[in-house]
Amino acid sequence: MSTRRHFLHAALGFAALPSFSRAAAAGGPSLGFSLYGMKTLTLNEALKTCAEIGYANVELALNAGFPTEPKVFTAEARKEAVQQLAALKLDLPCLMVNISLTADDKAHALALRTIADAAQVARDMNAAQPPIIETVCGGKPALWEEQKAGMVERLKSWAETAEKEKTVIAIKAHVGSAVNSPERLLWLIDQVRSPAIQVTYDYSHFELQGIDMEESMKLLLPRTKFIHVKDSTGDAAKFQFLLPGEGRTDYVKYFTLLKKHGYTGPVVVEVSGQIFSKPGYDPVAAAKKSHAVLAGALAKAG
């Protein structure tokens, strides 16, 4: 590894990872809501709603068609959002993008551009402590052995771009993707060994596969920089994601274990497209219901 690369790793290790000071000051995890589940609201409405409900942080969705998609999220709109976040006392720990490690060359080049664009949004939102970027990995579980070598090479390119942009990408295991388990996720990250590549933890994808909650936390929380939370029913072959409290997850146990393992960052509700694409979906009602369930469990966890 070159001297320049050593320098980049050192710089990222100390500067690029958010400290989540508000959450840590409270002594435990803080609750957030991903605006992925509020696509039909304006950004102003979504932020105000989350603050009024009682969330401490939000995640912006930079995906196509969302109000914060980089090509439509203008410099002026970003400045206004920064001011509104400050006025509402909302933290912005993460930005959602949707890119794949199994894309063809053309789509891979677009993914690298997406990372750079997201990093610019992050700097515009908070130059001193930019939010990180999170994404899933793509592929299919049955094709893991066939796809994993190529995924490593793609992830190395993601890491190089992230290092250049002084950002961090937190990747997530998904029940329907090639990277569907804690072991596969850690194996992939360890092949790249860059501080610019970290973990997004989402237990719903493991619960569907019968993976023990605490075992998944033991493996992943030391590398985790961001958490998504939602509920589910079914199994890996046929599943439906749900709002927190509508499925089988024991959230008192969940928060107790998070605290046991020292996690003090954001726990952010992600409303699945399986939910928000249904007729009659109400993003405000979903956010309120999710907060009531999680805040109650967090209080009981002590």
Side-chain angles (χ1 to χ4, degrees):
M1 187 181 294
S2 68
T3 301
R4 178 178 179 274
R5 193 169 178 84
H6 274 301
F7 172 79
L8 285 169
H9 280 213
L12 280 165
F14 285 102
L17 301 183
S19 65
F20 307 119
S21 56
R22 289 182 63 202
S30 62
L31 300 181
F33 195 84
S34 176
L35 302 194
Y36 182 61
M38 290 187 167
K39 185 178 182 181
T40 56
L41 301 184
T42 66
L43 180 57
N44 182 284
E45 291 170 334
L47 295 178
K48 184 179 179 182
T49 295
C50 289
E52 289 176 345
I53 290 170
Y55 287 106
N57 51 71
V58 294
E59 174 187 43
L60 300 187
L62 306 192
N63 307 357
F66 283 79
T68 45
E69 179 184 359
K71 70 178 183 180
V72 299
F73 192 31
T74 64
E76 182 179 355
R78 296 177 194 187
K79 289 180 181 178
E80 291 176 356
V82 169
Q83 293 171 353
Q84 188 178 12
L85 285 164
L88 295 172
K89 295 183 170 60
L90 284 173
D91 288 334
L92 178 64
C94 198
L95 307 174
M96 174 189 286
V97 299
N98 187 19
I99 52 180
S100 174
L101 290 170
T102 60
D104 61 23
D105 289 348
K106 182 177 180 181
H108 177 60
L110 289 174
L112 298 181
R113 181 69 258 166
T114 295
I115 293 168
D117 288 344
Q120 183 61 58
V121 172
R123 290 190 293 271
D124 290 345
M125 300 305 294
N126 189 338
Q129 192 180 71
I132 63 175
I133 300 165
E134 69 89 6
T135 184
V136 290
C137 301
K140 298 293 183 182
L143 298 178
W144 167 245
E145 291 299 330
E146 176 184 333
Q147 294 179 327
K148 65 182 185 181
M151 295 177 80
V152 169
E153 293 308 308
R154 295 301 199 206
L155 189 58
K156 287 179 180 178
S157 293
W158 286 13
E160 289 172 0
T161 301
E163 289 176 359
K164 179 181 177 182
E165 298 290 339
K166 294 184 172 58
T167 191
V168 170
I169 304 171
I171 60 176
K172 181 166 78 170
H174 189 291
V175 63
S177 297
V179 179
N180 63 352
S181 69
E183 291 81 5
R184 289 184 180 184
L185 183 55
L186 290 175
W187 180 88
L188 184 65
I189 289 174
D190 285 342
Q191 305 312 300
V192 177
R193 293 190 177 278
S194 167
I197 305 297
Q198 300 292 331
V199 169
T200 296
Y201 178 79
D202 186 339
Y203 180 62
S204 66
H205 296 282
F206 305 139
E207 189 169 44
L208 286 165
Q209 301 173 75
I211 297 172
D212 180 73
M213 182 186 290
E214 183 162 20
E215 183 60 26
S216 69
M217 288 186 180
K218 284 180 180 178
L219 290 171
L220 293 180
L221 287 185
R223 308 287 286 275
T224 293
K225 303 304 172 188
F226 185 75
I227 285 181
H228 269 158
V229 64
K230 55 184 176 290
D231 230 312
S232 67
T233 186
D235 56 27
K238 186 177 181 180
F239 55 86
Q240 172 68 48
F241 289 117
L242 304 168
L243 296 177
E246 294 181 345
R248 56 199 164 193
T249 303
D250 181 341
Y251 288 104
V252 175
K253 176 183 177 182
Y254 182 89
F255 285 116
T256 299
L257 289 174
L258 284 186
K259 291 184 177 183
K260 175 183 174 181
H261 291 284
Y263 182 80
T264 59
V267 175
V268 176
V269 177
E270 179 195 34
V271 179
S272 169
Q274 288 184 326
I275 299 173
F276 71 65
S277 62
K278 290 182 178 180
Y281 168 73
D282 183 341
V284 177
K288 288 180 178 179
K289 182 175 184 178
S290 299
H291 187 273
V293 169
L294 297 177
L298 185 56
K300 289 179 181 179

